[in-house]
């Protein structure tokens, strides 16, 4: 059983193209307070390497592909992100990293709160200490 959730976003399409629907408090189970995206990424430079105390996030690979590593302190799982109609719900206290970006990768993140540096755990050793104390 995964500690993150894959959410299929409703997508409608016809000869004109596709439309994918993202709705806060409906298919995204939180109020969206911040949106950011990554593009023009260096394929060989991983990103992320942090967890959050409280923040909930939904990650969507809008174009191209990348790999995401998730770690709850006990189990590590890697997922290939390659669908603009699937999002990954990342709960608080899950370490996450992004690797192996394709040249055309555009990576979107929807967040439950505005940026707050104090919510970040940027050291893996600190993350392990925190999750070890929670059990």
């Amino acid at each position: 059983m995964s500690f993150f959730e894959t959410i299929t976003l409703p997508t409608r399409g016809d000869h004109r193209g596709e439309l994918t629907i993202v709705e806060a408090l409906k298919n995204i189970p939180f109020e969206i307070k911040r949106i950011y995206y990554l593009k023009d990424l260096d394929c060989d430079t991983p990103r992320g390497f942090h967890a959050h105390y409280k923040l909930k996030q939904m990650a969507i690979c809008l174009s191209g592909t990348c790999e995401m590593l998730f770690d709850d302190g006990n189990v590590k799982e890697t997922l290939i992100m390659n669908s603009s109609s699937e999002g990954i719900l990342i709960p608080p206290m899950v370490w996450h990293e992004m690797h192996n970006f394709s040249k055309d990768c555009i990576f979107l993140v929807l967040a439950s709160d505005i940026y707050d540096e104090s919510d970040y755990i940027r050291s893996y050793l600190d993350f392990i200490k925190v999750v070890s104390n929670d059990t």
Side-chain angles (χ1 to χ4, degrees):
M1 173 115 182
S2 294
F3 38 85
F4 59 88
E5 181 181 353
T6 301
I7 295 178
T8 301
L9 301 168
T11 300
R12 310 287 182 262
D14 59 24
H15 69 280
R16 300 168 295 170
E18 288 189 348
L19 178 131
T20 300
I21 302 156
V22 178
E23 294 178 298
L25 303 173
K26 190 168 181 184
N27 56 8
I28 307 300
F30 54 80
E31 183 180 346
I32 300 167
K33 293 190 178 178
R34 181 169 51 121
I35 300 170
Y36 62 94
Y37 57 91
L38 303 127
K39 66 177 194 153
D40 299 326
L41 298 159
D42 179 351
C43 301
D44 298 321
T45 305
R47 305 278 307 240
F49 296 92
H50 64 271
H52 294 279
Y53 290 103
K54 297 178 184 174
L55 190 73
K56 299 173 196 150
Q57 298 177 96
M58 169 70 73
I60 305 167
C61 190
L62 294 177
S63 178
T65 64
C66 73
E67 292 177 16
M68 284 200 76
L69 171 82
F70 301 97
D71 181 345
D72 71 351
N74 295 307
V75 177
K76 293 182 182 185
E77 292 189 50
T78 300
L79 180 68
I80 295 176
M81 306 265 312
N82 61 3
S83 173
S84 63
S85 62
E86 284 190 349
I88 302 300
L89 183 62
I90 308 168
M93 298 309 298
V94 171
W95 186 264
H96 51 283
E97 304 172 7
M98 292 87 76
H99 298 266
N100 300 318
F101 299 100
S102 64
K103 292 268 185 212
D104 60 341
C105 184
I106 300 174
F107 191 83
L108 176 74
V109 179
L110 312 171
S112 65
D113 210 343
I114 60 173
Y115 177 81
D116 178 3
E117 181 60 33
S118 68
D119 187 57
Y120 283 74
I121 306 170
R122 296 195 183 270
S123 160
Y124 186 73
L125 292 176
D126 290 344
F127 168 72
I128 293 300
K129 289 177 189 174
V130 171
V131 293
S132 295
N133 289 336
D134 286 347
T135 56

